[in-house]
Amino acid sequence: MKFTAIATALLADSTSAFVATKSPSSSSTALQANIAVFGASGLTAQECVYQALKDGDSVFGLTRNPANVVVPKGSGGADADKPIVDDKLTVIGGDVTNAADVAKVFENDIDGVIVALGGKTSDVGDSMLTDGTINIISAMKAKGVKRMAVVTSIGAGDSKDQAPFAFKILMMTVMKKIFNDKNNQEKAVEESGLEYCIVRPGGLTVDAPTGVINVIDGEAGSIPRADVAQFCLEAVKDAEFPYIGKAPCISSVGGTSWVKDRSASARGQA
């Protein structure tokens, strides 16, 4: 299934622009797909769920908190925070570290998988990202599902030097455990043999989508979660997606540096 997009060079050496030809809030003319979203109640995952439904896709989400699968602030506009009501949405309450819960998602005919897991290690444990992703990979292989997009972070894997200095300090101190988990998660994906795209966004916001995503070789800027979601949907729906088998760092138009925003507003808590 192909979800039309154009990837073109924008700047000479360090940046390229991934420009989708549709608005994230408009209906797609592409073939409809069955999309699995893991961590479906998270802020980025909410965008994936919402935008996929707007495209006419069927969505099967797994989350520990089904009641938190709501219309996202970025793409949802005035409907933000309302429950998502759609006949094509199936939300399964469960834990991604429980293989049996993950298997429930794959009782359906899944075309593509988006993994957008999150949470503090103090709440979810030191290895939730890795353990959960390994369960997802195993279930995908068992059912013959090939395509996945996995949201990690700028600074993970070999992108350490793309994070600003202040953020590197956090990665080595208060965020050391979560980045160890992210690194192990990425390794599991890279060794999976699946058609994957590891998505490493810069500083995440809940702003409205811009529809343009920069793939950055240098320091990445901030980016709306809505744009990250669109990139992930392209990754699992476009047969010719240019970043399969890669781990692009992405940021918004013009973003070349950023400071980690830990404010409530960045998490949609205004």
Side-chain angles (χ1 to χ4, degrees):
M1 285 170 290
K2 186 171 182 179
F3 186 177
T4 305
I6 302 171
T8 57
L10 180 65
L11 299 178
D13 298 316
S14 62
T15 309
S16 63
F18 182 86
V19 185
T21 57
K22 58 175 281 299
S23 165
S25 60
S26 66
S27 297
S28 172
T29 58
L31 292 176
Q32 295 173 351
N34 291 343
I35 306 296
V37 179
F38 289 90
S41 61
L43 295 179
T44 301
Q46 288 174 5
E47 285 283 358
C48 294
V49 170
Y50 184 74
Q51 292 182 32
L53 292 171
K54 288 296 184 181
D55 289 340
D57 299 325
S58 294
V59 178
F60 302 88
L62 181 73
T63 174
R64 295 180 302 155
N65 303 295
N68 292 342
V69 181
V70 297
V71 176
K73 289 179 171 60
S75 296
D79 291 328
D81 294 327
K82 294 179 180 178
I84 298 178
V85 180
D86 195 301
D87 291 341
K88 290 190 173 184
L89 173 62
T90 300
V91 179
I92 299 168
D95 188 332
V96 73
T97 63
N98 184 331
D101 287 345
V102 172
K104 293 176 185 177
V105 176
F106 291 94
E107 291 174 358
N108 305 281
D109 183 16
I110 301 299
D111 298 307
V113 173
I114 296 174
V115 181
L117 303 173
K120 297 178 180 179
T121 54
S122 58
D123 296 331
V124 301
D126 294 349
S127 61
M128 180 274 292
L129 301 177
T130 305
D131 296 342
T133 300
I134 288 172
N135 284 341
I136 295 165
I137 290 169
S138 296
M140 290 177 67
K141 289 182 175 180
K143 292 294 185 177
V145 181
K146 299 292 187 182
R147 187 65 69 90
M148 72 186 309
V150 181
V151 182
T152 62
S153 174
I154 188 72
D158 61 4
S159 70
K160 180 178 69 174
D161 291 338
Q162 292 185 255
F165 178 76
F167 192 64
K168 291 178 184 177
I169 299 299
L170 294 176
M171 289 166 51
M172 294 184 288
T173 54
V174 296
M175 299 179 71
K176 185 175 181 178
K177 288 183 177 180
I178 187 66
F179 269 89
N180 183 59
D181 197 10
K182 287 180 184 292
N183 291 337
N184 290 333
Q185 178 190 30
E186 288 197 359
K187 183 178 179 181
V189 174
E190 291 167 347
E191 296 177 350
S192 68
L194 298 174
E195 297 175 2
Y196 70 83
C197 178
I198 295 171
V199 183
R200 296 167 172 167
L204 292 165
T205 75
V206 292
D207 295 341
T210 67
V212 179
I213 299 100
N214 280 351
V215 176
I216 303 293
D217 290 333
E219 285 191 6
S222 60
I223 184 169
R225 294 175 188 271
D227 286 332
V228 176
Q230 186 178 4
F231 192 81
C232 290
L233 287 167
E234 295 270 1
V236 299
K237 294 180 66 176
D238 184 351
E240 299 177 6
F241 189 72
Y243 299 102
I244 294 302
K246 300 180 181 180
C249 296
I250 59 175
S251 71
S252 296
V253 181
T256 56
S257 63
W258 62 282
V259 176
K260 181 68 174 179
D261 187 349
R262 294 183 171 276
S263 67
S265 61
R267 296 191 54 78
Q269 297 169 349

